[in-house]
Amino acid sequence: MASDDDGKLTGFPLFLTTVRYVVAGVVAVLAAVVVVMVIVVALRPEKVRLSILRGYVEATDLWQVSRVEIRRQIADDTTAAAATTTTVIYSSSSGFGDFSVGSTSTGDEPVTYRPAERVNFLLSLSAANPSGRADIDCDNITVSLLDVPGAPYNLTVTAAIAAFPLEERFRVERESSHTVRKWLTLNDTGALSRIAETYGGRISFQAMLQVNATVTTTALVKTSPKAVVYYCWPVTVRTFVPSAATDDVTCKTSDEMGYSIGVGASSRSSAAS
């Protein structure tokens, strides 16, 4: 190591010492930045933005209808008439059809709406992550279909028709989005009866969707899983695809909605893709 007459470092060794101090300073700054980012992500985890694409859920037949037809058969002497009855079954997609083919039915016979054997719902759920700081992992996702009897004036009291565990997880990378498009099958007899009793004769109805999930934020480190609940309103359940373009429905937390949602008992259902 070179030194002058006073014992001070000179030349190349002095340069190396300076470099060491600079590198140490840069490492300290980076470490501080990492600590700050970890603290920020831990205290303010990114929020996933959920929405129902085009604001509707497509469904298969929501109900069946049975109607007792009175078919009048005229006797040979045209003075006596005998009556026979038969039950005709129609679905929500076929409409009422022709209830009196080959008969003189007057159209005022009793009509009963019956539960469908099953109802399939096509869910199109979008998850967006506008943040540039972290990725978001979504897991343990359950989508519940809620009836809102007091709508549109009272949305605080709802009754769960059915709950569908999605049985899948996904990651929404920063400044990107992910779409779940999945058929969900409802085969619970109680829930099917509720749909027929409440919405019999209609091919669409408004409902609220509740989305429960566990989210984890990942930047340089991964945060602890956090349970979140979102409510999507108003969502239209319909047996046909609308011809005109409709807007997406943004899902919100109860804090974002400004009030709490009370949910009654639900029927558990199987989900199939």
Side-chain angles (χ1 to χ4, degrees):
M1 179 179 295
S3 62
D4 57 16
D5 294 337
D6 297 328
K8 296 181 180 180
L9 296 178
T10 60
F12 189 68
L14 179 59
F15 172 74
L16 289 179
T17 301
T18 303
V19 170
R20 290 192 188 100
Y21 282 118
V22 171
V23 171
V26 171
V27 171
V29 171
L30 290 177
V33 171
V34 170
V35 171
V36 171
M37 290 183 63
V38 170
I39 293 175
V40 170
V41 171
L43 296 179
R44 297 179 55 191
E46 298 300 330
K47 290 184 178 181
V48 62
R49 306 296 181 183
L50 302 181
S51 60
I52 303 300
L53 297 182
R54 299 187 66 185
Y56 79 94
V57 173
E58 184 181 348
T60 56
D61 293 338
L62 297 172
W63 41 264
Q64 300 180 93
V65 60
S66 62
R67 182 173 187 173
V68 177
E69 285 190 5
I70 301 175
R71 298 171 182 261
R72 302 193 179 280
Q73 300 172 341
I74 306 301
D76 291 340
D77 59 6
T78 68
T79 59
T84 61
T85 62
T86 183
T87 300
V88 182
I89 306 299
Y90 296 91
S91 66
S92 58
S93 62
S94 62
F96 291 104
D98 184 355
F99 285 99
S100 55
V101 175
S103 73
T104 59
S105 173
T106 60
D108 58 357
E109 295 85 353
V111 173
T112 302
Y113 295 103
R114 299 173 41 177
E117 294 182 1
R118 68 180 58 84
V119 178
N120 296 320
F121 300 96
L122 180 57
L123 174 71
S124 297
L125 175 67
S126 175
N129 177 13
S131 170
R133 296 190 298 126
D135 300 330
I136 301 176
D137 293 300
C138 300
D139 197 5
N140 301 321
I141 306 168
T142 298
V143 177
S144 300
L145 179 65
L146 308 181
D147 181 27
V148 190
Y153 304 106
N154 183 4
L155 304 180
T156 61
V157 179
T158 64
I161 298 175
F164 303 93
L166 295 191
E167 299 178 355
E168 66 177 72
R169 60 178 302 173
F170 56 83
R171 166 168 288 191
V172 188
E173 296 182 349
R174 59 199 74 185
E175 297 181 332
S176 69
S177 62
H178 178 85
T179 298
V180 176
R181 186 175 173 84
K182 191 177 184 69
W183 280 102
L184 308 173
T185 300
L186 174 62
N187 49 28
D188 179 84
T189 54
L192 293 170
S193 296
R194 181 185 182 89
I195 291 176
E197 293 170 2
T198 307
Y199 304 111
R202 299 168 58 180
I203 58 175
S204 67
F205 64 91
Q206 280 193 334
M208 180 182 292
L209 294 185
Q210 175 181 318
V211 182
N212 293 67
T214 301
V215 299
T216 305
T217 303
T218 303
L220 297 175
V221 296
K222 180 178 290 188
T223 63
S224 299
K226 178 183 178 181
V228 297
V229 182
Y230 287 85
Y231 300 96
C232 318
W233 169 266
V235 175
T236 302
V237 179
R238 60 183 72 195
T239 58
F240 63 95
V241 177
S243 56
T246 52
D247 296 332
D248 298 343
V249 170
T250 301
C251 305
K252 302 177 181 179
T253 64
S254 58
D255 288 341
E256 292 171 333
M257 296 182 73
Y259 46 82
S260 299
I261 305 294
V263 181
S266 65
S267 301
R268 205 137 171 99
S269 306
S270 61
S273 57

